[in-house]
Amino acid sequence: MTNQNVVVPDTKSGINLPMVRLSGSSIFPATAQKPPTAPGTGGGGCISLSTKKKLLLENLEINGGGGGGARINSWIDSMRASSPTHMKSNQQLPWQQQQQQITLPSAMDNFDQIMEASRGKQIVMFLDYDGTLSPIMRTTVRRLARCFPTAIVSGRCRDKVYKFVRLAELYYAGSHGMDIKGPEKGSKYTKGTEPVICQPASEFLPMIDEVFKELVAKTKLTPGAKVENNKFCVSVHFRCVEEKKWSEVAEAVKSVLKKYPKLRLSQGRKVLEIRPTIKWDKGKALEFLLESLGFANCTDVFPVYIGDDRTDEDAFKVLKEREQGFGILVSKVPKETNASYSLQEPTQASLQNIFHNY
Ligand SMILES: O=P(O)(O)OC[C@H]1O[C@H](O[C@H]2O[C@H](CO)[C@@H](O)[C@H](O)[C@H]2O)[C@H](O)[C@@H](O)[C@@H]1O
């Protein structure tokens, strides 16, 4: 890339900040500022998960094969408590009463700091799909991928995400990172002739398929329940189920899972997700992709991961531990997170604002 100007709109002041693209794949602000404190060092607005919260999250996570009943009930309770029909404006969930909620600095307002921290390093972009990428126009992601290696990481199955995005030059990590495929040959970031492929849970395919069918059969009489086959994991959606029927669906899930001790259950937004017990998540996918791109032991790489989901925390944590790049949490409300910055709206993450002139 040659030198280019990049205009970064400052959302607060409405002023466009001029950015200068100098060389390689990094962009730098025209006026450099002190880089933000590295993730994990307690500064720069970075928040760690408190032990208490971790325990509560673990409690909400249900392992397959028995013992999940009480935890399913805690999930139902937590879902009820957070439902708008139950929650008064100033009411806090039990775990929120135990923690101090800190607001992360805005990634848009501090964009020059982020860019300064990336000086001389290769930016690699990781974008969660739902809640982050979906509102962003394809053109913007395509432009982004021309500048930096770019990956989309999602809980959905890879084929579905690919059908939504339809950009062959990207890396895609579906099924919460358990199904990774790189661009076909010809992409400037492809090494060798074959696309990168990683499917660490491939032995679970027949089991997941079986569980999907069983769950469809078990939930078919519950109006609104939707079971989604995400290839290496299954999602059971509650969003359109009447609240009084939630426990009915949760019980159906529990009864199926009992037979599959190698599968575990976790909770998303009005969704229960069944996945293999293997130690693989979006964080592992991020590490795998960095390695595939040749950045395994590099100090001059700057990964930026933007995500809104609890499952994105695994990737934020990896970045924090590596002390490389930044996690950016898309959230309207303050949350405990391993991310370093936040964006309030997915549309705020619309990178056409940031990479305006690319
Ligand atoms: O990892 P992501 O790309 O953020 O995917 C997470 C889940 O996204 C989808 O669920 C979300 O959208 C649903 C409506 O389309 C909504 O009902 C649900 O509450 C959201 O979480 C997808 O259907 C799931 O399989 C993904 O795990």
Side-chain angles (χ1 to χ4, degrees):
M1 296 290 292
T2 51
N3 292 359
Q4 291 178 26
N5 292 324
V6 182
V7 177
V8 181
D10 178 327
T11 47
K12 267 195 183 149
S13 64
I15 298 167
N16 287 338
L17 304 173
M19 308 288 287
V20 183
R21 181 174 175 81
L22 297 175
S23 61
S25 294
S26 300
I27 55 177
F28 310 110
T31 42
Q33 291 189 4
K34 193 172 173 276
T37 315
T41 55
C46 186
I47 305 165
S48 300
L49 280 171
S50 68
T51 313
K52 199 145 209 148
K53 178 69 183 287
K54 269 188 198 156
L55 288 172
L56 277 153
L57 288 181
E58 276 160 20
N59 189 40
L60 290 173
E61 185 143 309
I62 306 147
N63 293 318
R71 290 173 192 163
I72 289 228
N73 291 337
S74 356
W75 176 80
I76 297 284
D77 289 345
S78 93
M79 195 67 92
R80 285 210 175 101
S82 62
S83 162
T85 51
H86 285 262
M87 216 165 156
K88 296 186 188 109
S89 59
N90 60 352
Q91 188 182 338
Q92 287 188 311
L93 297 175
W95 63 79
Q96 289 172 328
Q97 289 158 7
Q98 309 290 331
Q99 312 152 4
Q100 198 191 1
Q101 300 279 320
I102 304 167
T103 310
L104 288 176
S106 154
M108 292 294 273
D109 297 345
N110 293 281
F111 192 68
D112 48 355
Q113 288 190 332
I114 298 175
M115 288 300 101
E116 174 58 20
S118 76
R119 185 188 289 271
K121 295 177 181 170
Q122 169 66 60
I123 292 176
V124 183
M125 291 298 303
F126 296 89
L127 304 164
D128 167 51
Y129 183 74
D130 278 272
T132 299
L133 183 59
S134 26
I136 301 175
M137 285 179 287
R138 253 180 101 235
T139 325
T140 307
V141 181
R142 177 183 275 150
R143 283 189 194 150
L144 190 64
R146 277 190 209 132
C147 307
F148 319 114
T150 302
I152 299 178
V153 187
S154 178
R156 291 185 188 260
C157 83
R158 178 167 56 78
D159 290 350
K160 202 181 279 178
V161 179
Y162 184 82
K163 273 184 199 144
F164 292 150
V165 182
R166 289 174 292 112
L167 291 173
E169 58 272 43
L170 307 184
Y171 286 80
Y172 291 86
S175 307
H176 292 293
M178 288 180 285
D179 188 9
I180 301 177
K181 189 162 181 262
E184 299 293 334
K185 64 179 178 180
S187 155
K188 69 177 179 179
Y189 304 118
T190 310
K191 291 196 167 181
T193 52
E194 294 303 318
V196 168
I197 289 186
C198 174
Q199 295 185 328
S202 52
E203 66 183 283
F204 287 89
L205 266 184
M207 193 185 285
I208 291 288
D209 211 39
E210 208 175 283
V211 165
F212 167 71
K213 286 176 188 148
E214 283 187 42
L215 285 168
V216 169
K218 285 256 181 191
T219 57
K220 70 177 178 201
L221 295 179
T222 309
K226 187 184 159 216
V227 187
E228 186 182 7
N229 189 339
N230 285 326
K231 193 166 179 176
F232 294 103
C233 47
V234 179
S235 301
V236 182
H237 293 272
F238 282 70
R239 190 167 291 282
C240 301
V241 175
E242 252 189 294
E243 200 183 310
K244 63 180 181 198
K245 300 259 180 192
W246 286 356
S247 50
E248 183 179 305
V249 179
E251 283 302 323
V253 172
K254 188 182 135 195
S255 71
V256 172
L257 261 187
K258 259 187 196 162
K259 296 188 280 172
Y260 299 93
K262 287 190 173 173
L263 299 180
R264 68 184 173 98
L265 192 59
S266 57
Q267 173 204 336
R269 281 196 197 93
K270 296 198 177 167
V271 63
L272 286 175
E273 301 201 289
I274 295 103
R275 53 164 112 178
T277 48
I278 60 164
K279 286 190 177 163
W280 197 271
D281 51 37
K282 289 181 173 180
K284 293 273 183 208
L286 180 146
E287 283 179 321
F288 173 86
L289 284 166
L290 287 177
E291 194 171 323
S292 304
L293 286 159
F295 300 125
N297 300 308
C298 272
T299 51
D300 59 352
V301 62
F302 195 87
V304 177
Y305 188 109
I306 310 182
D308 74 317
D309 202 59
R310 183 182 289 173
T311 57
D312 297 313
E313 287 299 327
D314 295 316
F316 297 151
K317 192 161 173 252
V318 165
L319 292 183
K320 192 173 160 189
E321 282 166 3
R322 289 171 72 111
E323 297 190 8
Q324 282 181 328
F326 291 115
I328 300 177
L329 174 71
V330 181
S331 175
K332 283 185 184 150
V333 292
K335 279 183 186 167
E336 285 219 20
T337 178
N338 281 301
S340 302
Y341 290 94
S342 70
L343 287 166
Q344 286 203 355
E345 299 276 349
T347 47
Q348 200 182 353
S350 68
L351 299 167
Q352 76 259 33
N353 284 340
I354 295 173
F355 300 100
H356 190 70
N357 286 343
Y358 277 83

